[in-house]
Amino acid sequence: MSLEEEILRRRTFAIVSHPDAGKTTITEKFLWYGGVIREAGHVRAKAGKKFTTSDWMKIEQQRGISVSSSVLSFPYSSCQINLVDTPGHQDFCEDTYRALTAVDSALVLIDSAKGVEPQTIKLMEVCRLRKTPITVFMNKMDRDSLDPLELMDEVERILGVRCTPRTMPIGSGKMFKGVYSFIDDSVHFFQPDTEENEIRKVSGIHDPQLDEWFDEKYLREFREQAELAIGASDTFDREKYLQGEQAPVYFGSAINNFGVKHLLDSFVAVAPAPMSRHAKERDVLATEPRFTGFVFKIQANTDPKHRDRIAFIRVCSGQFVRGSKVIHCRTGRQVRLAAPTSLLANDRTVLDEAYAGDIIGIHDPGLYNISDTISETENLAFDGIPDFAPEHFCRVYLEDPLRSKQLQQGLHQLSEEGATQLFYPLSGPIPVLGVVGVLQFDVLKFRLEEEYNAKCRLEPSTIYQARWISGDATELAAFRSEHGFDLAQDKKGHLVYLCPNEFRLQTVEKNYPKLQFDKFHVE
Ligand code: G4P
């Protein structure tokens, strides 16, 4: 296979969902279709079990297969799929957002009984920022669910992307009978837990055969909804999908393996192959022969016996060959990527080659920062990964005043590495740490003590959210004098508003219309 063919068959995506929508379940079905696991059973969470590890570890623990916590790579059809993990439960953190900067498209998974939920809203903000192409799967149709039109309306209103239904359900809950596919005018009959569902072609939604197969009540409801949906939505337009403006929508039930294969087939047919990526110098095409990539995640080992770290790199162009020398563009240093880890779903072995679209994990001796570019020959700087507004804050107090230098050094390095965000209030000397997921604090405290020998106390702060401020100079000066007490600088010196509550945030947004209060900050 030529380099170009290898690259163009890659589909790198992530699942965007709220905890319990069914991400683990659908992932397992995907792996089963990819031939990685032989039996796609029901992954059960033990009662009271804490979801502190990656959701995918659940599969690992319960099914005895080895699953990388960062990416699952498996073949499907003629494609090579890279499914990048978005840690969801209590391990929701900045890495969850960052994972979305390493993919070319996303699958939004929605629990049909609950509709659009908070974590999905947050993650979709990143997708919208990057114009990521979105596919929507309405899961759990075997349970009493919201009206399909209402579900799509929520996606449009709350997530801000136009929906184009590719299937529509016939009945729901106990009376869920199947879906109608607009792609080829066919009916997929709901037969729980079967490998292949029966599919019959029809001439359209008014085909009289449907009257023979389905109860009048559900059929009438389906026809009304289908007509309304067709009338209200645009036909599927791949260009609009690729621009992130329009999302194809599917209905099904992951646990019953219903609609999953249809989704996967349709997904690989339209989802983008690795896309070009913007660097300061120029746009880099995925199919260029020279290897380039960027760091989107750094995983530190909290086991003191193994202090190694892994830097996860998204390959942006060309082919990576094991042992080759590359430039670490930020420092200009030449490094040899000696033993990158393969992140295949069935094993974690050393990798000999990887292509644009793939994710590789390399040993990090402390060289890499989030957003660093590495490149075979050319000095390049890919657009940085944004900082995401933290939602949990605390102030750091040193227990031993003599270790102040170590604490400063630790905080600086951990923030460079992307493990926390650091804010220096204009009104006082105690730095504020901000994180997206509250569990990150435990890791930070541990690392400050273990790696920097700086024993410290982290005291929760009542700050509500951080927003990066920019805009009109006169308003900014007025804002500074009125809210100076709540202002801070981030590690690069940008002005940040540490707002005390939601009400205050809304008030300042109203009172200072020429200022922007951004949730993301891109360097
Ligand atoms: P997550 O990774 O997104 O957090 O979700 P996960 O797959 O763990 O699924 C959450 C729960 O939803 C699981 O139940 C799972 O069995 C169930 N589920 C997933 N897909 C479907 C579906 O299509 N229909 C129905 N009815 N349920 C689905 P659980 O937490 O293990 O509890 P239990 O249902 O086994 O008691």
Side-chain angles (χ1 to χ4, degrees), residues 68-88:
S68 145
S69 62
S70 280
V71 69
L72 294 172
S73 183
F74 56 92
Y76 183 73
S77 179
S78 54
C79 293
Q80 184 68 23
I81 299 206
N82 293 318
L83 176 47
V84 181
D85 189 17
T86 43

Side-chain angles (χ1 to χ4, degrees), residues 225-237:
Q225 286 168 341
E227 271 172 356
L228 280 171
I230 295 166
S233 56
D234 306 328
T235 49
F236 179 66
D237 179 335

Side-chain angles (χ1 to χ4, degrees), residues 149 168 182 205 221-231:
L149 297 180
M168 281 285 278
F182 296 117
I205 61 169
E221 215 170 79
F222 155 72
R223 281 179 172 142
E224 278 170 18
Q225 286 168 341
E227 271 172 356
L228 280 171
I230 295 166

Side-chain angles (χ1 to χ4, degrees), residues 17-26 42-45 51 55 58 89 109 139-143 252-256:
S17 65
H18 191 81
D20 285 332
K23 188 178 69 169
T24 313
T25 311
I26 203 164
H42 181 172
V43 179
R44 273 177 191 279
F51 292 99
D55 297 340
K58 280 195 272 171
H89 287 88
L109 188 67
N139 191 27
K140 305 196 186 183
M141 288 306 296
D142 59 316
R143 287 216 182 133
S253 167
I255 194 106
N256 290 296

Side-chain angles (χ1 to χ4, degrees), residues 159-177:
L159 301 183
V161 55
R162 294 275 294 158
C163 287
T164 295
R166 307 300 277 151
T167 65
M168 281 285 278
I170 305 173
S172 82
K174 284 199 180 65
M175 300 313 291
F176 182 48
K177 297 296 175 195

Side-chain angles (χ1 to χ4, degrees), residues 29-38 74-76 346:
K29 305 293 177 194
F30 286 166
L31 289 180
W32 182 73
Y33 282 118
V36 177
I37 55 176
R38 254 169 273 139
F74 56 92
Y76 183 73
N346 50 0

